[in-house]
């Protein structure tokens, strides 16, 4: 062995050692549902099974407030989030309104879809199946980001089930992001996302959450813990990759003008994932809709400032016919 070969072998050994140390530092194996329930599914959390074409689909949900409410509110979270994002709103609504929040398949404690279908149509089908299971004929439907997109798509495809809409930084248009959270970028890279099934730096999750807040200083360690641990739920990382593969940006956007439900649009002025110019498109497209901007907030204004963002929602709900 010559000197050059020896140097190369030592360099290779050091590189392998560094990679092993890196993998050990970022090793984050999947966690079972049972291991997460104690922290993330206290009462009033519940688990139900929805009958779907491929079999029973587990759903984590919370059904809070008076059951006699004639017009319940269903809240739908965004990509890589969970029903916990709505806790501030639910706390302000549940004294007088029935509020249902749940984890979409692929996220939170619900876990992966029973058939691996993360298309918009499959999600809308799950939402309608949930309404059927809860025996809800018609509801007010609110959602953020992906959840907002699914809310208005449900109203479009099943108008008889949706009385009104609350769209919070909603998706569904063919938009261009100013900044994409690091976790989403990783999920878009086929080679890297394979490694991400067992490796997940907590700092990557923290960076992603800070990216969607207008004021990143509001992102606490406890908030990062929630996003991090729920991402580790068995099947969720693979589900995110599959959802991204099945995206159809703007597929129903040209039908927005068909919506006739009373609609409130809320938007964070510092949203860099779905920039505020999208809000104007929704307002122009949905006749009679009302837009409220929050200049200092980001992509998840309901989570970042629940009290401030809930106020126009309560005023909107009070104007609806009972």
């Amino acid at each position: 062995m010559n000197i050059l070969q020896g140097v190369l072998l030592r360099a290779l050994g050091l590189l392998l050692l560094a990679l092993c140390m890196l993998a050990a530092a970022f090793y984050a194996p999947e966690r079972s549902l049972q291991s997460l329930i104690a922290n993330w599914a206290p009462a009033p959390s519940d688990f139900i099974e929805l009958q779907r074409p491929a079999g029973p689909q587990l759903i984590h949900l919370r059904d809070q407030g008076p059951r006699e409410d004639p017009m319940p509110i269903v809240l739908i979270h965004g990509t890589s989030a969970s029903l916990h994002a709505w806790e501030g709103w639910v706390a302000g609504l549940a004294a007088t309104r029935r509020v249902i929040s749940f984890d979409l398949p692929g996220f939170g404690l619900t876990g992966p879809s029973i058939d691996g279908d993360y298309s918009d149509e499959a999600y809308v089908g799950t939402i309608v199946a949930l309404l059927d299971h809860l025996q809800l004929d018609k509801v007010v439907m609110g959602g953020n980001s992906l959840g907002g997109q699914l809310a208005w798509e449900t109203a479009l495809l099943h108008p008889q089930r949706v009385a009104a809409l609350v769209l919070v930084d909603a998706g569904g248009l063919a938009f261009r992001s100013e900044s994409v959270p690091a976790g989403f970028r990783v999920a878009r890279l086929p080679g890297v996302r394979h490694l991400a099934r067992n490796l997940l730096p907590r700092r990557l999750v923290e960076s992603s959450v800070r990216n969607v807040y207008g004021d990143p200083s509001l992102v606490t360690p406890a908030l990062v813990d929630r996003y991090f641990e729920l991402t580790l739920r068995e099947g969720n990382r693979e589900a995110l990759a599959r959802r991204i593969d099945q995206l159809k940006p703007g597929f129903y956007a040209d039908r927005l003008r068909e919506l006739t439900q009373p609609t409130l649009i809320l938007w964070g002025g510092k949203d860099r994932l779905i920039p505020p110019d999208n809000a104007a498109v929704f307002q122009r497209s949905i006749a009679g809709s009302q837009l409220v901007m929050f200049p200092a907030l980001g992509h998840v204004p309901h989570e970042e400032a629940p009290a401030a963002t809930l106020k126009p929602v309560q005023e909107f709900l009070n104007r609806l016919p009972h």
Side-chain angles (χ1 to χ4, degrees):
M1 180 185 297
N2 59 38
I3 295 176
L4 178 59
Q5 288 175 322
V7 170
L8 290 175
L9 283 174
R10 284 195 295 274
L12 179 60
L14 289 172
L15 177 60
L16 290 174
L17 177 61
L19 289 174
C20 289
M21 293 176 64
L22 190 65
F26 296 152
Y27 182 58
E30 292 188 328
R31 293 188 56 180
S32 69
L33 172 61
Q34 289 301 319
S35 72
L36 296 166
I37 283 178
N39 282 342
W40 306 114
S45 278
D46 194 9
F47 290 87
I48 61 172
E49 287 189 343
L50 296 182
Q51 293 307 312
R52 305 295 293 132
Q57 172 69 60
L58 184 73
I59 296 288
H60 172 224
L61 86 160
R62 291 178 180 172
D63 188 347
Q64 298 167 260
R67 292 297 187 272
E68 65 272 15
D69 184 356
M71 192 60 65
I73 304 161
V74 174
L75 298 174
I76 311 170
H77 65 78
T79 301
S80 294
S82 65
L83 60 76
H84 304 85
W86 299 108
E87 286 178 340
W89 277 23
V90 174
L93 289 169
T96 58
R97 304 298 302 260
R98 183 179 180 184
V99 189
I100 295 105
S101 55
F102 67 102
D103 291 341
L104 289 165
F107 306 110
L109 294 180
T110 285
S113 165
I114 188 68
D115 58 2
D117 188 349
Y118 299 97
S119 65
D120 292 5
E121 294 78 12
Y123 275 130
V124 169
T126 297
I127 293 167
V128 173
L130 177 64
L131 299 183
D132 290 342
H133 180 92
L134 298 175
Q135 299 181 347
L136 301 175
D137 294 329
K138 205 166 194 177
V139 299
V140 175
M141 195 166 288
N144 167 241
S145 194
L146 167 62
Q149 174 181 346
L150 297 177
W152 71 256
E153 288 179 350
T154 302
L156 177 70
L157 300 175
H158 302 272
Q160 73 281 6
R161 308 303 295 269
V162 182
L165 287 165
V166 178
L167 305 180
V168 185
D169 296 66
L173 305 180
F175 61 87
R176 182 183 296 274
S177 298
E178 295 176 10
S179 178
V180 177
F184 291 0
R185 294 199 302 271
V186 168
R188 291 174 176 175
L189 301 173
V192 176
R193 75 189 193 190
H194 178 74
L195 295 174
R197 293 174 187 173
N198 290 298
L199 301 177
L200 183 64
R202 188 179 181 280
R203 291 293 296 272
L204 180 73
V205 176
E206 179 180 2
S207 170
S208 297
V209 179
R210 289 173 64 88
N211 185 272
V212 296
Y213 266 59
D215 181 359
S217 70
L218 297 176
V219 176
T220 65
L223 180 64
V224 176
D225 284 345
R226 188 188 82 207
Y227 276 94
F228 178 67
E229 292 190 19
L230 293 178
T231 299
L232 299 182
R233 197 266 196 229
E234 288 173 329
N236 278 359
R237 281 175 278 185
E238 173 65 20
L240 175 60
R242 291 195 178 193
R243 166 60 187 170
I244 288 174
D245 288 342
Q246 296 174 36
L247 285 173
K248 297 186 294 184
F251 186 77
Y252 288 106
D254 61 350
R255 296 184 59 187
L256 272 172
R257 296 185 184 279
E258 297 177 29
L259 293 172
T260 60
Q261 292 89 345
T263 300
L264 173 65
I265 303 163
L266 306 182
W267 221 276
K270 291 186 176 180
D271 189 344
R272 298 186 296 160
L273 180 59
I274 307 181
D277 57 0
N278 287 260
V281 176
F282 279 104
Q283 186 183 28
R284 288 195 305 268
S285 301
I286 304 174
S289 59
Q290 175 191 357
L291 171 61
V292 180
M293 294 291 298
F294 296 91
L297 302 181
H299 182 62
V300 288
H302 61 297
E303 182 174 276
E304 187 174 358
T309 53
L310 181 58
K311 184 177 179 181
V313 175
Q314 291 174 316
E315 294 171 352
F316 173 73
L317 294 174
N318 289 337
R319 292 195 299 268
L320 295 176
H322 295 292

